[in-house]
Amino acid sequence: MDLQGKCQNRNPFLVLLVAVESRDLDSRMAVRETWGNESNYGDVDVVTVFLVGLSIVETRKIQLLLEVENRVFGDIVQQDFMDTYYNLTIKTLMGMEWVAKYCPTASYVMKIDADIFLNLEYLVHNILPSGTPVHEDFFTGFILKNNVPVRDKASKRYVPIEMYPSDTYPTYCSGSGYVFSAVIAQKIYDKAQVVQIMPMEDVFMGICLNELNISITEPPSDIFIRKIEDYDRCQFNQLVTVHRYGRNKLRNVWMDFWSKKNLGCPEFQNRILG
Ligand SMILES: *[C@@H]1O[C@H](CO)[C@@H](O)[C@H](O)[C@H]1NC(C)=O
Ligand SMILES: *[C@@H]1O[C@H](CO)[C@@H](O)[C@H](O)[C@H]1NC(C)=O
Ligand SMILES: *[C@@H]1O[C@H](CO)[C@@H](O)[C@H](O)[C@H]1NC(C)=O
């Protein structure tokens, strides 16, 4: 599905590229009802699109449902690769290509998985550099350094020597959610045409950034959380992402978080200051 007009006549401050399986309508709905709802953010122009491939099960049926869904919501970007873990890199590059082609006036982009809690307002108001011009080479997220390729064939993250001969990966950001200036989308897309594609999308982005000499910006600590973290409204007020908030958990937590977002957190402040 070639979603062309979504950014027309707007200058999105942030484009959310949400990676989700084609058959997972329920997770897309949960995102649309929570942090992915563009009309939540009034003063900030946010564009949300979902990145999908072709379902590996019930391909035809799922495809027809997706087309109906896209007629209703107009937010699905799809190309004809099989929607598998190994094709996540292709999926992400499709998102980069979409931004470069159809959303060239965007300022920032975030690639995020659907099962993540996202506090977009904190990101926009506290993390993204404000003002113009946009910081050209900005890329941040949960940083992983000195990770080594898994050479065990049984692992999901197995990487043969022929695919990646070096002993360590360049610094990269966890694929669950990373943010970057929109101009980087085109640069990464172009670089990906000449670099050996790797199945692990987050590692691959690190390789491209390294080739492009773009260094990753260190975020403040504890705002991209990658361990299991129970919901705490005041803590979640002061961070960007938390892992493993699948659709139902996300909906539950969001109801509380969003309805109380204007309430203060005196206890929390006392805890920090004390
Ligand atoms: C998004 O928010 C608007 C305004 O609050 C609401 O009318 C709409 O139903 C929401 N969309 C979804 C999918 O929940
Ligand atoms: C996608 O993944 C499948 C299975 O993991 C693989 O067979 C296929 O070649 C990949 N690429 C495309 C473009 O579908
Ligand atoms: C990156 O830096 C290296 C070494 O400093 C240089 O050779 C290369 O041309 C640079 N690449 C880009 C894309 O600027």
Side-chain angles (χ1 to χ4, degrees):
M1 270 171 275
D2 197 26
L3 187 68
Q4 297 190 7
K6 197 155 168 69
C7 292
Q8 246 161 36
N9 307 319
R10 16 196 320 200
N11 300 302
F13 183 69
L14 180 65
V15 177
L16 297 174
L17 300 174
V18 187
V20 58
E21 270 189 62
S22 36
R23 59 180 153 167
D24 196 358
L25 166 66
D26 197 21
S27 292
R28 283 190 293 280
M29 282 317 300
V31 168
R32 290 182 184 116
E33 290 159 17
T34 60
W35 48 260
N37 188 337
E38 296 175 359
S39 50
N40 281 351
Y41 305 109
D43 53 327
V44 183
D45 191 2
V46 174
V47 163
T48 305
V49 297
F50 296 95
L51 309 178
V52 304
L54 290 175
S55 178
I56 51 166
V57 296
E58 301 184 285
T59 310
R60 228 189 106 65
K61 182 181 144 206
I62 303 278
Q63 194 56 28
L64 291 173
L65 290 173
L66 265 175
E67 279 160 22
V68 173
E69 185 185 340
N70 194 44
R71 250 175 272 140
V72 175
F73 296 103
D75 57 5
I76 295 175
V77 177
Q78 184 189 41
Q79 287 175 0
D80 61 356
F81 55 87
M82 299 313 284
D83 213 331
T84 62
Y85 173 77
Y86 292 97
N87 290 337
L88 266 180
T89 302
I90 300 178
K91 175 177 280 194
T92 305
L93 291 172
M94 170 179 77
M96 302 282 178
E97 185 185 13
W98 186 82
V99 169
K101 222 166 143 184
Y102 298 126
C103 221
T105 57
S107 300
Y108 294 97
V109 182
M110 177 172 208
K111 183 264 153 181
I112 183 167
D113 291 337
D115 60 344
I116 299 286
F117 173 89
L118 169 65
N119 182 347
L120 187 142
E121 294 201 314
Y122 191 80
L123 171 68
V124 164
H125 298 300
N126 298 280
I127 304 304
L128 292 180
S130 58
T132 47
V134 168
H135 188 322
E136 273 222 3
D137 283 343
F138 183 81
F139 195 109
T140 196
F142 183 91
I143 295 181
L144 293 150
K145 280 187 187 152
N146 304 316
N147 267 14
V148 300
V150 175
R151 305 294 190 194
D152 170 8
K153 285 189 177 149
S155 164
K156 189 175 161 185
R157 290 177 78 87
Y158 166 64
V159 168
I161 299 247
E162 312 81 71
M163 184 182 279
Y164 189 82
S166 310
D167 289 340
T168 56
Y169 290 136
T171 300
Y172 64 98
C173 291
S174 162
S176 50
Y178 49 82
V179 195
F180 50 98
S181 41
V183 287
I184 291 185
Q186 179 79 56
K187 293 186 191 176
I188 290 180
Y189 183 77
D190 292 344
K191 188 50 80 179
Q193 311 308 311
V194 296
V195 172
Q196 157 94 51
I197 299 264
M198 297 255 297
M200 283 153 301
E201 154 261 331
D202 46 7
V203 171
F204 183 73
M205 294 304 139
I207 293 171
C208 290
L209 290 174
N210 189 45
E211 292 275 327
L212 290 163
N213 292 343
I214 296 174
S215 52
I216 294 174
T217 301
E218 186 88 43
S221 58
D222 296 332
I223 64 157
F224 294 96
I225 300 204
R226 208 158 152 271
K227 57 185 194 303
I228 308 283
E229 192 76 40
D230 285 336
Y231 174 63
D232 173 319
R233 185 176 69 83
C234 287
Q235 183 193 1
F236 280 36
N237 246 317
Q238 307 287 321
L239 51 69
V240 179
T241 54
V242 189
H243 249 216
R244 302 248 171 90
Y245 275 79
R247 49 196 187 254
N248 293 328
K249 203 169 156 197
L250 178 62
R251 285 183 174 109
N252 286 339
V253 159
W254 190 263
M255 225 180 304
D256 186 77
F257 179 76
W258 196 252
S259 65
K260 296 180 185 160
K261 76 186 170 93
N262 294 323
L263 301 182
C265 283
E267 276 174 62
F268 186 68
Q269 274 153 18
N270 289 345
R271 216 150 67 210
I272 290 180
L273 297 174

